[in-house]
Amino acid sequence: MDAPTKFVQIIDFETERIDEMRALAEDAEKRSAGREGGPTRRLVLKDRNRPDHYLVVIEFDSYEEAMANSDDPETGKFAEQMAALCSRPPTFTDCDALDTTDFR
């Protein structure tokens, strides 16, 4: 039997208010600490070639857990607050993680 596939969501957004965005994310993280089925990892990336352009990669143990997280009212509230800090609406890309390699 195959192991469950990890699920990754990539959020692509632009903001001139990254410090406020960080504070919002940290607050949301504190409120959801210890909750079952939430994200297992987050990676925040800043585009070197496009000012104010960011990508956030969020990993979940499964697609089902990610969808349950998306349905949580706290997640919806966070998404609204995040969008208000963006200079354009964020886009979301949903991915199944096929392979990961740690080089160190």
Side-chain angles (χ1 to χ4, degrees):
M1 181 178 196
D2 290 334
T5 302
K6 291 210 179 250
F7 178 81
V8 174
Q9 186 171 71
I10 302 168
I11 306 170
D12 180 322
F13 67 95
E14 292 178 5
T15 186
E16 295 175 357
R17 301 164 67 181
I18 194 62
D19 291 335
E20 291 172 75
M21 188 74 74
R22 278 193 185 130
L24 178 66
E26 288 171 7
D27 185 52
E29 205 172 285
K30 288 175 188 171
R31 286 194 316 271
S32 67
R35 186 179 70 183
E36 289 289 319
T40 57
R41 180 180 295 160
R42 180 185 73 209
L43 176 64
V44 180
L45 306 170
K46 180 178 182 0
D47 190 330
R48 285 178 166 250
N49 299 310
R50 292 172 45 200
D52 303 324
H53 180 230
Y54 301 87
L55 299 166
V56 177
V57 181
I58 303 173
E59 183 179 297
F60 293 85
D61 282 334
S62 69
Y63 170 80
E64 292 75 20
E65 287 188 6
M67 293 304 100
N69 183 72
S70 291
D71 290 339
D72 186 288
E74 284 293 319
T75 302
K77 181 179 173 184
F78 171 78
E80 286 177 20
Q81 293 171 324
M82 178 190 169
L85 296 173
C86 292
S87 52
R88 67 161 169 80
T91 60
F92 300 84
T93 304
D94 295 340
C95 306
D96 291 322
L98 299 181
D99 185 33
T100 58
T101 302
D102 293 324
F103 291 104
R104 290 187 183 210

